[in-house]
Amino acid sequence: MQQGRRNSLLANIDWLIVILYLVLVFMGWINIYSAVYDDTHQSILDTSCQYGKQLIWIGAAVLVIIIVLLIDSKFYSTFAYVMYGIGCVLLLSVLLFGREVNGAKSWFEIGTFRMQPVEFAKIAVCLAMARLMSSEDFSFKVVKNYFLAGLILGIPMIMILLQNDTGSALVFCTFIFVMFREGLNNILFVAAFALIFLFILALIVNISLLMLIVGLLCVIGLVVVSGRNKFTRIVLYSAVVLSAVSVLLCTISPELAEMSIYFAMIGYAAMSLLMLVMFFISKMKPMIFAMILMVGMGGFVYSVDYIFNNVLQEHQRSRIMDLLGKNEDVLGTGYNVHQSKIAIGSGGFIGKGFLHGTQTKYKFVPEQSTDFIFCTIGEEWGLAGITVILVLFGALIFRIINKAERQRSAFSRIYGYGVASILFFHVAINIGMTIGLAPVVGIPLPFFSYGGSSLWAFTILLFIFVRLDADRLQVFR
C-alpha cells in the first residue's frame, strides 16, 4: 500500500515545476560561482568559498524536498496555525537573542552557521492565510474577516520592522493579490495602490499643491454624481474653477502660491460645510462620502511627511530620494545602484562571457553574490541571459497560478496564489532595485542569491504546493 502511494505521488507530481526549479537553482549556483570566483580557489567543492557552501545548501535542499513530499498533504492545512505560531516565536526570539548583520537584527548565529527566521516566516504566514481564507464561513463581506487577515499579516510584519528589515516586511503586502483573488472588494484593491501612488507623489510634489489637486479631483467626482440639483452644481463648479486657478497660480507664480492656497482652503472648507448640509437635507450619500474621502486623503498626504522623516531611517530615506531622482549621491547611498547599472549595461546583448565580468571580478558592486546577484547575470550573459531568466521565472509563476486555479481544495488554491505572489514580489523588487526602478530594500532573488535560509525557505514554500497539487484529485479539503 505504501509502495502504491509513493508511485501515485511520483505520477501526480508536476514535473514541469520541478524542472524549472532545478534549472533556476543550477543557474543561480553558476552565477554565485562567477560572482565570487578567485584564481586561487578554482575547485567547485571548495567549502571555504560561497559557491562551495551553496552547493552544500543545494544538497540539503534536495533532502528537504524529499521530506516535504513524503509528509501527508493534510498535515499542512491541519497544522497551519501551529506553524504560524512557531514562526512568530522565532521572529520574537531573534529580536531578543539574534545577531545584527548589516544593520538588521534578524539572524541566529551558531558557530559559522546562520539562519534567518523571516524567510521561514513567509511560509508560515502563507499557510495561515490559506487556512483562514479557506474556512467555510470566511467572506470579505464580513468586517471581522478583514481584522483577522490583518492580524495574521500584521503581527509578523511588526516584529520584522522591529528587526530593521523593512524589505522583508514589505513582502507580506503582496498577499493583497491573494485576497483580491478570493473576493476582496475592488474598491479596496484600487485604493491600496492609489495610496502608494499618493505616497510617492507626496514625496515629489509640494504638499500644498498636492492637496489642491486632491481636492480638485474630489470636486470633479462630486460634479459627476451630484445629480440635477442646480444650487449644488453651481457651488461645485465654483470649487472646480477655484481649485484649477489655484493649481495654475501655484505652478506659474511661486509668489502667489501662498495666497492662492489660502483662498482654495477657504473654498474647500465652505464646500465641505455645503456637503454636510446637503447630506442632512437631501440624504445625498455621495456628499458625505466625498467629504470623508477628501479629509482622509488630505490627512494621509500630510502624514507622509511625518512617516518619511520620523518612521523611516536615514539610509531608507536616502535610497528613496535616490530612486526618485532627488539625490545624486553616486559615491554614497546611490553607489550600489550606480555600479549595478554600469555592470548590467556593460553586458550588452550577449554579455562578456562566463567569468569575464570586470565589474563583478573586481568587486565594484557590493553584495554581488546576494542582493545584487542580478548584476552578474546582466554583465556576463547580457540581455539574452536576462531574457532567459525572466522567461524561466515567468514560466514558473504562471505554472503555479495555472495549477492553483485547477485545485479542488480552497486551501491549496489560496496557498498556491500565495506562493506565486511571494515569488513575483521578490523577483520584481530585486531586479527593480538593481536597475534603479525600486528602492534598495535588501531582499534576495529566489534560487539565485547566496544563502541557505533563502534557498531552503523558497524550496519548502514551493514544494509544499507541489505536494498539495499532487493530491488534488484524491482529496477534498
Side-chain angles (χ1 to χ4, degrees):
M1 182 176 179
Q2 292 293 329
Q3 182 67 30
R5 288 183 63 186
R6 283 195 292 270
N7 291 336
S8 176
L9 174 63
L10 291 174
N12 292 325
I13 283 177
D14 190 280
W15 290 103
L16 178 57
I17 290 180
V18 176
I19 292 171
L20 288 170
Y21 165 82
L22 293 174
V23 172
L24 287 169
V25 169
F26 174 74
M27 295 184 74
W29 178 79
I30 285 293
N31 281 281
I32 291 173
Y33 178 82
S34 180
V36 300
Y37 177 78
D38 188 337
D39 292 334
T40 61
H41 296 272
Q42 298 186 8
S43 173
I44 62 172
L45 301 177
D46 189 345
T47 56
S48 66
C49 296
Q50 288 184 345
Y51 50 81
K53 294 176 182 177
Q54 188 73 2
L55 205 56
I56 296 175
W57 303 138
I58 293 172
V62 174
L63 295 178
V64 169
I65 290 171
I66 295 172
I67 294 171
V68 169
L69 294 179
L70 289 177
I71 295 175
D72 192 293
S73 59
K74 294 180 181 178
F75 172 86
Y76 300 111
S77 57
T78 303
F79 292 95
Y81 290 141
V82 174
M83 287 185 272
Y84 175 80
I86 294 173
C88 288
V89 169
L90 287 174
L91 290 176
L92 180 61
S93 299
V94 80
L95 271 174
L96 300 173
F97 311 110
R99 183 178 185 274
E100 187 172 313
V101 178
N102 293 332
K105 194 176 182 181
S106 55
W107 297 82
F108 284 126
E109 185 171 18
I110 304 173
T112 58
F113 176 76
R114 289 181 183 176
M115 193 269 283
Q116 192 174 16
V118 66
E119 297 295 341
F120 300 95
K122 297 169 190 174
I123 305 169
V125 171
C126 197
L127 288 169
M129 288 293 288
R131 175 67 185 273
L132 173 68
M133 291 194 287
S134 63
S135 57
E136 293 182 0
D137 60 342
F138 183 88
S139 170
F140 279 113
K141 295 179 181 179
V142 181
V143 177
K144 179 189 72 173
N145 292 325
Y146 286 96
F147 172 76
L148 293 174
L151 196 65
I152 289 176
L153 295 174
I155 292 174
M157 283 183 71
I158 291 172
M159 288 190 284
I160 294 168
L161 286 172
L162 291 174
Q163 296 172 16
N164 195 24
D165 189 1
T166 308
S168 295
L170 289 174
V171 173
F172 295 105
C173 296
T174 193
F175 280 95
I176 191 173
F177 294 108
V178 183
M179 292 188 284
F180 177 69
R181 168 60 181 83
E182 296 303 313
L184 181 69
N185 190 296
N186 292 348
I187 295 176
L188 293 177
F189 184 74
V190 173
F193 287 94
L195 287 177
I196 295 173
F197 181 67
L198 201 58
F199 185 91
I200 296 172
L201 274 182
L203 298 176
I204 301 174
V205 180
N206 178 274
I207 295 294
S208 298
L209 177 60
L210 183 58
M211 280 295 295
L212 288 174
I213 295 172
V214 167
L216 177 60
L217 292 176
C218 289
V219 172
I220 291 173
L222 265 179
V223 170
V224 176
V225 300
S226 62
R228 298 182 178 180
N229 188 300
K230 292 183 179 180
F231 175 72
T232 303
R233 293 181 76 85
I234 289 172
V235 174
L236 291 176
Y237 284 135
S238 300
V240 170
V241 173
L242 180 64
S243 301
V245 171
S246 299
V247 170
L248 186 62
L249 289 175
C250 282
T251 54
I252 295 177
S253 176
E255 292 78 13
L256 297 175
E258 186 176 348
M259 182 183 299
S260 63
I261 290 171
Y262 174 74
F263 283 114
M265 290 305 172
I266 292 177
Y268 285 147
M271 188 182 64
S272 297
L273 181 60
L274 170 70
M275 285 189 276
L276 193 60
V277 171
M278 291 302 297
F279 172 73
F280 285 113
I281 292 177
S282 57
K283 300 299 181 183
M284 293 178 65
K285 292 183 179 179
M287 291 294 179
I288 197 69
F289 175 76
M291 187 175 69
I292 294 172
L293 182 64
M294 186 184 299
V295 173
M297 292 178 71
F300 178 79
V301 168
Y302 273 106
S303 71
V304 168
D305 183 66
Y306 176 83
I307 293 172
F308 186 75
N309 291 300
N310 297 280
V311 177
L312 298 181
Q313 297 187 8
E314 179 61 33
H315 70 279
Q316 295 168 336
R317 293 195 295 268
S318 298
R319 288 171 178 175
I320 292 175
M321 288 294 98
D322 288 333
L323 175 67
L324 297 177
K326 294 290 186 178
N327 291 340
E328 293 292 340
D329 188 9
V330 296
L331 297 179
T333 55
Y335 177 80
N336 286 22
V337 175
H338 180 68
Q339 293 297 328
S340 173
K341 290 179 180 179
I342 293 175
I344 295 172
S346 66
F349 183 74
I350 60 173
K352 298 177 181 177
F354 183 56
L355 300 180
H356 289 90
T358 53
Q359 294 292 116
T360 300
K361 184 175 181 181
Y362 296 110
K363 303 183 181 349
F364 284 104
V365 183
E367 310 296 340
Q368 60 189 22
S369 64
T370 52
D371 297 342
F372 282 83
I373 187 70
F374 191 72
C375 298
T376 305
I377 300 170
E379 184 177 23
E380 297 192 352
W381 306 102
L383 180 62
I386 289 174
T387 303
V388 170
I389 299 301
L390 292 178
V391 168
L392 288 172
F393 273 120
L396 177 62
I397 294 170
F398 177 79
R399 184 66 175 179
I400 293 170
I401 294 174
N402 179 265
K403 300 300 287 187
E405 284 294 339
R406 297 185 179 185
Q407 299 301 309
R408 294 178 174 179
S409 156
F411 177 86
S412 300
R413 181 185 68 248
I414 296 166
Y415 180 81
Y417 267 92
V419 174
S421 298
I422 291 172
L423 287 174
F424 172 78
F425 184 89
H426 269 267
V427 172
I429 298 301
N430 181 277
I431 294 176
M433 71 184 191
T434 61
I435 59 178
L437 294 180
V440 180
V441 291
I443 62 173
L445 184 63
F447 315 123
F448 275 76
S449 294
Y450 168 77
S453 295
S454 172
L455 176 63
W456 289 358
F458 281 118
T459 298
I460 295 171
L461 182 75
L462 178 63
F463 278 88
I464 286 178
F465 178 69
V466 171
R467 183 67 179 91
L468 294 172
D469 177 64
D471 277 353
R472 71 185 183 280
L473 299 178
Q474 281 74 36
V475 295
F476 297 88
R477 292 184 300 281

